[in-house]
Amino acid sequence: MFPSMDSSRFPPAVAALLEAGIDYAGLFPPAGLSLDETVENYARYRTGPDRRALGRLIVPATRLAEFVALTAATDRDLAGWRLSATLGAGGAAECGLVAEANRRLAARGAAVDAIEAKVLDGLAVATLARSVEPGAAWYGEIALDTEYEPVLDAIVAHRGYAKIRMGGITADLFPDPDSVVRFLQAVSIRSLPFKATAGLHHPLRGPYPLTYLPASPTATMYGFLNLMVATILARQGAEAAELKAALMESDIRDLRIQDGCLAWRDRRFAESGSCRVSFHGFGSCSFREPIDELRTVLTP
């Protein structure tokens, strides 16, 4: 469990929506920080006033040995740290790197307790499920431009979770809203929880810079509040058109926190935190940006 967020900084409804919901991926673009910078940031966020919103530290499996060596050399206190390892070209074979890291981290009170990997078919899902350590959560990232329903069925059968990519550092990496709606309906009918990654730095949909460079091009990005509302609607069995409208909402007057509840247009979601049963959260190369922008949205 994470320490409580300072309740004066966010209403209870917002705190519930963000509970351990932002996995910190500072190593990844567009931030692309060094491992040392990423570790320092994560350590600071863990003791900061918004720590309740902080989830796992995301580290590629191929860099776990480097992470273990770096933190050991600096005598970093890792008690309570939770990591998620992303698998790369080696696929499930990289789970051996996770197991080795966990053997070295156990005495320091830390653990890699989640795995994330792309899965293109049922065989890949089964191989991943067999390779993860007992008790670890694992997320199978599906490709939205494929017939992925059988892959979701395999994830359910092997007791995993799904993962969706919501953007990237180029405009073509942002999926169209119909594809996201299709995914939300697919996981909803299967009662399959999921996490998201990339492109969710902002609370509301709108045009934003793709990178942190001064001359960065912009693209229309989804907001994490949009995805949360659409997830709730999908759980409630809403039609595709309503889910799409929620994903595309960009007006702060229509998508907001009202009377302690997440609200969209004339709908108020009294149990808005329940969306986290289905939506486990999102990975972001910035922890501060989503938090700080949300505070601005709440107090325009």
Side-chain angles (χ1 to χ4, degrees):
M1 294 296 293
F2 287 85
S4 296
M5 181 187 293
D6 182 348
S7 60
S8 66
R9 295 173 71 87
F10 286 108
V14 179
L17 284 170
L18 294 178
E19 181 80 38
I22 305 176
D23 289 338
Y24 180 53
L27 289 170
F28 296 81
L33 302 178
S34 69
L35 183 60
D36 186 65
E37 290 173 307
T38 300
V39 168
E40 288 292 333
N41 286 346
Y42 189 72
R44 185 170 65 255
Y45 301 149
R46 277 183 53 82
T47 60
D50 298 316
R51 57 192 178 276
R52 183 174 170 183
L54 184 64
R56 296 180 174 96
L57 174 63
I58 310 295
V59 178
T62 54
R63 300 194 66 180
L64 285 173
E66 183 185 354
F67 168 83
V68 172
L70 172 68
T71 55
T74 57
D75 198 26
R76 169 75 64 184
D77 180 8
L78 299 183
W81 283 42
R82 299 163 64 222
L83 285 73
S84 182
T86 56
L87 307 187
E94 293 179 4
C95 286
L97 301 174
V98 177
E100 174 60 26
N102 273 334
R103 281 192 286 272
R104 300 175 65 185
L105 290 172
R108 302 171 66 188
V112 184
D113 65 351
I115 302 291
E116 304 176 29
K118 293 181 179 180
V119 287
L120 299 180
D121 53 34
L123 177 60
V125 171
T127 301
L128 178 61
R130 288 195 303 267
S131 302
V132 300
E133 294 185 285
W138 57 271
Y139 295 85
E141 180 183 334
I142 56 91
L144 288 177
D145 60 352
T146 65
E147 295 300 321
Y148 55 75
E149 282 81 358
V151 182
L152 296 182
D153 291 334
I155 293 174
V156 172
H158 290 280
R159 300 182 179 181
Y161 305 112
K163 179 180 174 182
I164 182 175
R165 189 165 293 272
M166 294 293 293
I169 59 173
T170 57
D172 61 294
L173 294 177
F174 290 81
D176 65 84
D178 290 321
S179 296
V180 180
V181 167
R182 176 188 165 210
F183 171 83
L184 292 177
Q185 291 180 316
V187 294
S188 179
I189 64 174
R190 291 169 172 81
S191 298
L192 176 60
F194 72 99
K195 73 168 292 186
T197 189
L200 289 176
H201 289 204
H202 312 282
L204 290 176
R205 177 180 169 88
Y208 301 101
L210 286 165
T211 72
Y212 297 121
L213 297 176
S216 172
T218 62
T220 299
M221 303 182 181
Y222 297 98
F224 58 85
L225 290 183
N226 296 84
L227 186 57
M228 287 176 170
V229 169
T231 298
I232 296 172
L233 293 172
R235 281 171 54 89
Q236 295 177 348
E239 296 293 329
E242 190 172 17
L243 271 64
K244 182 176 179 179
L247 283 172
M248 298 184 72
E249 185 63 72
S250 60
D251 194 332
I252 184 63
R253 295 168 296 182
D254 287 329
L255 180 52
R256 62 207 183 280
I257 304 295
Q258 181 179 18
D259 300 328
C261 296
L262 181 62
W264 177 58
R265 297 183 180 175
D266 61 348
R267 306 279 296 274
R268 293 175 70 252
F269 305 102
E271 298 297 329
S272 55
S274 68
C275 83
R276 296 296 308 285
V277 174
S278 296
F279 177 36
H280 283 182
F282 59 98
S284 173
C285 70
S286 172
F287 176 69
R288 290 266 30 113
E289 192 169 31
I291 293 289
D292 294 340
E293 285 199 20
L294 180 58
R295 186 170 293 111
T296 300
V297 166
L298 292 174
T299 57

